[in-house]
């Protein structure tokens, strides 16, 4: 269902074919659809997902992405780039069989980022949040259908990117003025909305990714996430109990252990030493490691150099192999 290593989503540069070639060459058993935000608005995380929305459209304003009445050039650009990325992925996944990951921004990070006509985040309006989540769910369903048509041998893994989720739950998302924050959203509503969006993916598992601190593991599991993707360096011992419960409950951990920006890479065994230490601390069986953990970069690689990005992806594969070969 999952491979031993994969990437998060974003890659440096603007060449879709080069990115697809790098990703499929690096991860022969768990590639993903690359995102190339360096191309500009519409290729960024929010704009790309806004382009998936059904009967809702967004355009770029000086303050960010704003919901509008009709598809404009920003929507068309986002859809055009996504088409280009899918063409490239299709070219390099001929006859591929196995897991393939596609990413979209989750409903709560989208609600925190997209503005209404008055300039406030959609998060400020419960009705707007509902409409946005429904539009997103349908857009993701159609997107998955399209990827399935292009790569028919793949088992699709849906990744929802939710870096703002903790801020939404804690009432830390700033208003347009920057002087106040939007009130915290009820946890049950957050969970139910996520469950609805995850639920449109009936043909494979869903993973929720957040490279923010204090990822709400238990909430995400209840919402139907089969795997949770996080920056391993941000874990604290406070997270031990929920992580132990997640692993014992069959939830896969996407452990972000390889730095997402240029810097020296340790040896592969050194990169996963923290994962082994966590395992021992939790008293989990070492042989569970390879079954329960996928190795990834700590976050997207958009800010890395192309050379470092290639090396980081290869390093993830080697680190995962080290974990499987020497779980003790």
């Amino acid at each position: 269902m999952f491979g031993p290593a994969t990437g998060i989503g974003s890659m440096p540069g603007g060449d879709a074919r080069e990115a697809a070639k790098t990703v499929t060459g690096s991860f022969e058993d768990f590639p993903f659809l690359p995102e190339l935000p360096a191309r500009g608005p519409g290729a960024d995380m929010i704009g790309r997902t806004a382009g998936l929305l059904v009967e809702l459209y967004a355009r770029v304003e000086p303050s960010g992405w704003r919901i509008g009445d009709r598809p404009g050039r920003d929507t068309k650009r986002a859809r055009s780039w996504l088409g280009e990325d899918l063409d490239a992925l299709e070219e390099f996944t001929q006859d591929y069989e196995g897991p393939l990951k596609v990413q979209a921004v989750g409903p709560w990070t989208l609600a925190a980022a997209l503005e209404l006509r008055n300039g406030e985040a959609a998060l400020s309006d419960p009705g707007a949040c509902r409409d946005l989540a429904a539009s997103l769910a349908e857009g993701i369903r159609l997107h998955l259908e399209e990827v399935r048509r292009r790569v028919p041998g793949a088992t699709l893994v849906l990744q929802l990117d939710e870096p703002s989720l903790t801020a939404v739950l804690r009432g830390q998302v700033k208003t347009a003025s920057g002087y106040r924050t939007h009130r915290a959203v009820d946890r049950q509503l957050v969970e139910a909305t996520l469950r609805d969006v995850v639920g449109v993916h009936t043909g494979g598992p869903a993973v929720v990714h957040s490279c923010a601190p204090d990822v709400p593991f238990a909430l995400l599991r209840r919402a139907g996430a089969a795997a949770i993707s996080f920056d391993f360096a941000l874990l604290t011992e406070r997270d031990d109990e929920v992580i132990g419960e997640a692993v014992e409950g069959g939830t896969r951990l996407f452990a972000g252990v390889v730095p997402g920006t240029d810097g020296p890479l340790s040896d592969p065994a050194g990169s996963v030493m923290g994962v082994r230490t966590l395992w021992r601390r939790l008293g989990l069986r070492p042989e569970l490691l390879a079954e329960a953990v996928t190795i990834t970069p700590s976050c997207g690689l958009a800010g890395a150099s192309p050379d470092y990005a290639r090396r980081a992806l290869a390093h993830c594969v080697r680190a995962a192999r080290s974990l499987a070969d020497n779980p003790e």
Side-chain angles (χ1 to χ4, degrees):
M1 194 158 54
F2 301 108
T6 192
I8 296 299
S10 67
M11 293 286 287
D15 186 329
R17 285 189 77 253
E18 185 59 36
K21 185 180 173 186
T22 298
V23 163
T24 53
S26 301
F27 301 116
E28 292 173 5
D29 41 17
F30 197 5
F32 62 95
L33 176 62
E35 301 165 356
L36 301 171
R39 292 180 295 197
D44 61 300
M45 188 171 88
I46 298 299
R48 186 181 181 89
T49 298
L52 295 177
L53 296 174
V54 173
E55 293 177 8
L56 276 180
Y57 309 100
R59 62 178 187 272
V60 180
E61 296 285 342
S63 52
W65 285 89
R66 183 169 293 184
I67 295 170
D69 298 325
R70 60 184 74 84
R73 62 166 188 244
D74 297 321
T75 299
K76 289 176 184 145
R77 192 190 299 125
R79 290 176 177 173
S80 167
W81 273 329
L82 179 58
E84 212 177 279
D85 295 339
L86 288 169
D87 289 344
L89 183 74
E90 184 177 1
E91 180 185 344
F92 289 101
T93 50
Q94 295 295 311
D95 304 320
Y96 174 73
E97 293 183 356
L100 169 66
K101 185 164 70 68
V102 296
Q103 305 83 220
V105 175
W108 294 107
T109 295
L110 201 60
L114 283 184
E115 297 173 358
L116 301 172
R117 286 181 189 82
N118 64 2
E120 285 297 352
L123 190 65
S124 63
D125 181 335
C129 288
R130 261 196 316 277
D131 292 348
L132 192 55
S135 171
L136 175 65
E138 180 60 11
I140 287 174
R141 190 184 68 75
L142 295 171
H143 178 45
L144 292 168
E145 262 179 28
E146 170 71 3
V147 180
R148 213 171 274 125
R149 187 181 65 72
R150 289 169 176 264
V151 195
T155 299
L156 297 189
V157 175
L158 169 64
Q159 176 179 305
L160 293 178
D161 291 317
E162 281 284 15
S164 301
L165 185 60
T166 303
V168 167
L169 288 165
R170 291 184 172 174
Q172 293 170 339
V173 177
K174 283 192 161 59
T175 57
S177 70
Y179 295 122
R180 295 186 305 111
T181 56
H182 295 289
R183 67 173 56 143
V185 181
D186 178 75
R187 293 181 82 85
Q188 286 178 309
L189 176 60
V190 168
E191 185 184 317
T193 304
L194 276 167
R195 189 181 299 113
D196 288 346
V197 178
V198 165
V200 299
H201 181 34
T202 53
V207 50
V208 178
H209 165 70
S210 172
C211 46
D214 298 321
V215 175
F217 285 90
L219 183 152
L220 296 177
R221 289 178 60 218
R222 289 194 305 271
I228 299 169
S229 169
F230 54 95
D231 180 345
F232 192 84
L234 297 178
L235 285 186
T236 68
E237 292 197 15
R238 281 203 318 272
D239 298 306
D240 279 9
E241 192 178 333
V242 285
I243 287 182
E245 285 171 3
V247 172
E248 286 171 347
T251 304
R252 183 104 178 175
L253 305 179
F254 280 38
V257 298
V258 177
T261 49
D262 291 43
L265 290 167
S266 71
D267 66 299
S271 292
V272 290
M273 192 164 62
V275 181
R276 289 196 186 94
T277 304
L278 171 69
W279 231 244
R280 280 196 294 272
R281 207 165 65 226
L282 295 176
L284 294 166
R285 297 197 321 275
E287 59 272 21
L288 255 182
L289 263 172
E291 290 169 35
V293 176
T294 293
I295 296 298
T296 72
S298 57
C299 211
L301 292 166
S305 66
D307 175 62
Y308 176 81
R310 279 190 294 273
R311 288 190 293 116
L313 297 186
H315 192 81
C316 288
V317 173
R318 287 197 294 273
R321 199 172 297 132
S322 162
L323 206 55
D325 292 346
N326 306 297
E328 295 287 357

